Amino acid sequence: MDCRDVRELADSFLAEELLTETNHEILRHLETCPGCGTDLAARRALREGVRRAFQHASDLDSRPEFLTQLRASLQNAAHHVPARRGIRFQGWWALAATVLLAAGLGLAYRGRDWMMATGALARAAVGDHRNCALQFRLAEKPISLEDAAQRYGAAYRVLETLPPNDVMTAVGPAHVLERHACVYGGRRFGHIVFEYRGERVSLLVTAAEGGLLLALPGEALPHVTSASRIDDMSVASFRASGQMVFFAGDVAQADLIALAEALAEPLYRELAGV
């Protein structure tokens, strides 16, 4: 089994949908392929992040009045279907199961779209970090956050003062080196560069579009998730209303998560208000 095979089967492997023999082949490949191991870890982290986010998305819960109405409608429909005695009750449950299955499939597809969109944005965030914070190779010159706020929206104004220039995390201090707005791969980011754990680390904020806006409504708290390492960089992220917030840098994953968690709540609160 080669790398292409493993990556095509990765999601089924994580969902425990494969035959035992296939699982063993994948495990043997992972023992000798760090690249596939990293990819699998990223997929697992994203799946776990989506699962936690759905658990805390109260707006996805069925409203009591909806359940009452659904039960009454199904019972009424079952009573009006001509059937032999003993089959009517089975028909009612079959109809109810169909409705619930459709709802479940809808949530599953939305979760899949969320993972794919978040992964693409995470790769773009790492690209911006590499080509702006570490070595400047962008096609466009960065602009100030003040200019970006006037041209593109109030989210950039939040980043003028938040986070503060000096931040204390559970593992040590982080100091802001610069703040600006820049464009990488056609996507605009609010970009804050830190000196942290002896390395340059980026905080990048960009608009969450499409499925990212629809997948997880009603979040009340930021859910920091780890995407393992992308292009040899640790990545962490959370969503704040219409924005995605990424942290990227060549530091230990646990250290990056510590920085993200130190900043998540105030950033979430302020960005959610714009």
Side-chain angles (χ1 to χ4, degrees):
M1 186 170 289
D2 59 22
C3 293
R4 180 178 178 180
D5 295 329
V6 170
R7 295 185 182 185
E8 287 180 352
L9 294 172
D11 289 321
S12 296
F13 173 76
L14 293 172
E16 300 181 353
E17 297 173 346
L18 301 176
L19 297 174
T20 302
E21 293 80 3
T22 307
N23 286 333
H24 288 166
E25 289 186 40
I26 291 175
L27 290 171
R28 282 194 293 269
H29 179 84
L30 294 174
E31 289 175 356
T32 59
C33 183
C36 285
T38 298
D39 180 74
L40 199 68
R43 292 171 186 258
R44 181 180 287 110
L46 283 173
R47 290 169 67 93
E48 179 62 20
V50 171
R51 184 189 65 79
R52 289 199 306 269
F54 267 102
Q55 285 180 338
H56 291 86
S58 58
D59 283 1
L60 294 179
D61 293 339
S62 298
R63 301 189 308 276
E65 57 269 25
F66 167 76
L67 294 176
T68 300
Q69 183 180 2
L70 175 62
R71 188 179 299 108
S73 298
L74 292 174
Q75 288 175 333
N76 183 60
H79 285 305
H80 286 83
V81 175
R84 296 190 304 273
R85 184 178 180 87
I87 297 180
R88 179 179 299 165
F89 188 71
Q90 295 176 6
W92 185 90
W93 278 111
L95 182 57
T98 301
V99 172
L100 293 174
L101 178 60
L105 288 174
L107 292 179
Y109 279 111
R110 291 167 76 186
R112 180 198 63 182
D113 292 343
W114 186 90
M115 285 191 292
M116 293 176 63
T118 302
L121 284 185
R123 288 188 290 274
V126 169
D128 193 295
H129 172 68
R130 277 193 174 281
N131 292 282
C132 185
L134 300 186
Q135 183 177 359
F136 187 78
R137 291 178 293 193
L138 298 181
E140 295 184 28
K141 183 179 179 180
I143 62 174
S144 71
L145 290 171
E146 181 180 1
D147 287 346
Q150 293 175 355
R151 298 181 195 180
Y152 307 113
Y156 295 96
R157 196 172 307 282
V158 170
L159 300 177
E160 288 187 274
T161 56
L162 191 68
N165 287 334
D166 291 287
V167 177
M168 180 57 67
T169 76
V171 296
H175 177 70
V176 173
L177 297 176
E178 58 180 292
R179 305 170 189 256
H180 61 255
C182 54
V183 176
Y184 174 78
R187 173 164 289 276
R188 191 171 303 279
F189 291 91
H191 191 178
I192 298 177
V193 182
F194 290 92
E195 177 74 23
Y196 178 60
R197 309 300 286 170
E199 301 287 345
R200 286 195 166 210
V201 172
S202 290
L203 185 163
L204 299 126
V205 179
T206 190
E209 300 172 349
L212 285 174
L213 291 176
L214 297 173
L216 299 171
E219 289 180 300
L221 295 171
H223 304 288
V224 177
T225 59
S226 164
S228 189
R229 294 181 73 83
I230 296 176
D231 193 19
D232 292 328
M233 293 289 169
S234 295
V235 182
S237 66
F238 64 89
R239 197 186 74 181
S241 187
Q243 307 292 324
M244 280 297 300
V245 181
F246 291 94
F247 295 81
D250 189 14
V251 296
Q253 194 71 33
D255 291 348
L256 192 69
I257 292 292
L259 178 61
E261 290 180 340
L263 299 176
E265 188 171 348
L267 275 172
Y268 179 89
R269 184 172 58 250
E270 295 299 320
L271 288 172
V274 300

